[in-house]
Amino acid sequence: FYELYKKDIQPKLKENTWLTKENIITKKILPYFGKRKLSEITARDIISWQNEMRELTDAKGQTLSETYLKTIHNQMSAIFNHAIKFYGLQVNPAAKAGSMGEKEAQEMLFWTKDEFLKFIDVMMDTPIHYYAFEMLYWCGLRLGEMLALTPADFNFEKGIVRINKSYQRIGSEDVITDPKTEKSNRNVQMPSFLMDEIKEYLDSLYGIEDNQRMFPV
């Protein structure tokens, strides 16, 4: 059924999104249920699987985060829901067993302005890192959005940067995709000092083209 699920779902998703789902399925689901018939898996089986997932540890010996456990369970449930919707399965045992993990991530930590200024002062000797972190902090960009920036994305007259793409490294390839969500396509107002800094940075990149990434990995 995984092969059917893959055939149905993969064409609808961005490559990196599918790779994330595939990693969960092949490493967290198939090793446990790979030889079982979908219709024979019970809620009791799901509970036993959940308990095993809670005991897993990473390379540092730490258990999986609550949000990741939630993601794993959601993927398991999505497989059963797909089977119900399109292939005649009657029951979703993952739904009957109940979820695991927590939806909300741990409290997100932010640098204060003073903390950031102390950090960025240390980065001044490496301009590419300095300007990259300036863009991340003052414009509130995601990492992939910052790494996809090109000179053509900046309108220095209006003081804005256009966010319409994201960079990802998939395997050994550099891939440019649409931003994470539709609302992620946006224009971000830049502080005047940051506009001056980015102009200075672009002037130092001799021969850079308008569509060439400013912050190569």
Side-chain angles (χ1 to χ4, degrees):
F1 184 78
Y2 166 64
E3 295 303 326
L4 290 174
Y5 180 79
K6 179 178 180 179
K7 183 179 179 181
D8 292 344
I9 298 298
Q10 185 177 9
K12 303 177 184 179
L13 302 177
K14 294 181 181 178
E15 184 178 3
N16 198 50
T17 300
W18 169 253
L19 289 176
T20 299
K21 293 171 76 69
E22 184 179 48
N23 182 66
I24 291 173
I25 295 169
T26 58
K27 293 185 178 180
K28 302 296 190 294
I29 297 176
L30 290 184
Y32 197 96
F33 291 107
K35 296 182 180 181
R36 299 286 300 277
K37 290 184 178 180
L38 218 61
S39 60
E40 295 178 351
I41 297 173
T42 67
R44 180 66 255 177
D45 294 327
I46 298 296
I47 291 172
S48 296
W49 167 75
Q50 290 175 339
N51 290 336
E52 187 166 313
M53 292 301 102
R54 293 186 179 99
E55 295 297 322
L56 289 180
T57 56
D58 60 21
K60 297 181 180 179
Q62 298 178 336
T63 56
L64 305 181
S65 71
E66 291 296 304
T67 50
Y68 189 47
L69 287 172
K70 180 75 172 179
T71 300
I72 295 171
H73 177 86
N74 287 348
Q75 179 57 65
M76 170 66 89
S77 189
I79 291 173
F80 285 110
N81 285 336
H82 191 77
I84 290 171
K85 187 173 183 179
F86 297 106
Y87 293 94
L89 188 69
Q90 298 300 307
V91 178
N92 180 344
K96 289 185 67 176
S99 188
M100 64 175 171
E102 297 291 339
K103 182 177 181 180
E104 297 297 330
Q106 295 178 348
E107 181 181 1
M108 192 174 293
L109 301 178
F110 295 90
W111 276 335
T112 65
K113 181 178 178 181
D114 287 342
E115 288 170 335
F116 175 74
L117 292 177
K118 289 179 182 179
F119 165 80
I120 203 66
D121 184 59
V122 179
M123 305 302 293
M124 293 189 71
D125 290 338
T126 53
I128 188 171
H129 296 149
Y130 175 84
Y131 294 115
F133 279 106
E134 285 280 273
M135 289 299 302
L136 287 171
Y137 186 80
W138 296 110
C139 295
L141 305 186
R142 297 183 178 94
L143 180 61
E145 294 171 344
M146 180 272 294
L147 291 173
L149 288 174
T150 67
D153 294 322
F154 291 86
N155 185 326
F156 291 109
E157 293 183 1
K158 295 183 178 180
I160 61 174
V161 57
R162 177 185 59 191
I163 308 302
N164 63 357
K165 54 189 175 298
S166 182
Y167 166 89
Q168 300 174 55
R169 173 67 63 83
I170 299 178
S172 59
E173 295 185 12
D174 295 337
V175 178
I176 301 297
T177 67
D178 294 332
K180 186 175 182 179
T181 66
E182 185 175 344
K183 290 184 178 180
S184 296
N185 283 284
R186 64 199 188 278
N187 290 325
V188 177
Q189 194 72 40
M190 298 171 59
S192 58
F193 71 85
L194 183 56
M195 287 190 293
D196 293 338
E197 288 181 351
I198 295 302
K199 284 181 183 178
E200 179 181 343
Y201 175 60
L202 289 175
D203 288 342
S204 72
L205 301 177
Y206 303 108
I208 187 172
E209 299 180 359
D210 282 347
N211 62 350
Q212 186 176 347
R213 290 195 301 113
M214 298 163 49
F215 302 106
V217 177

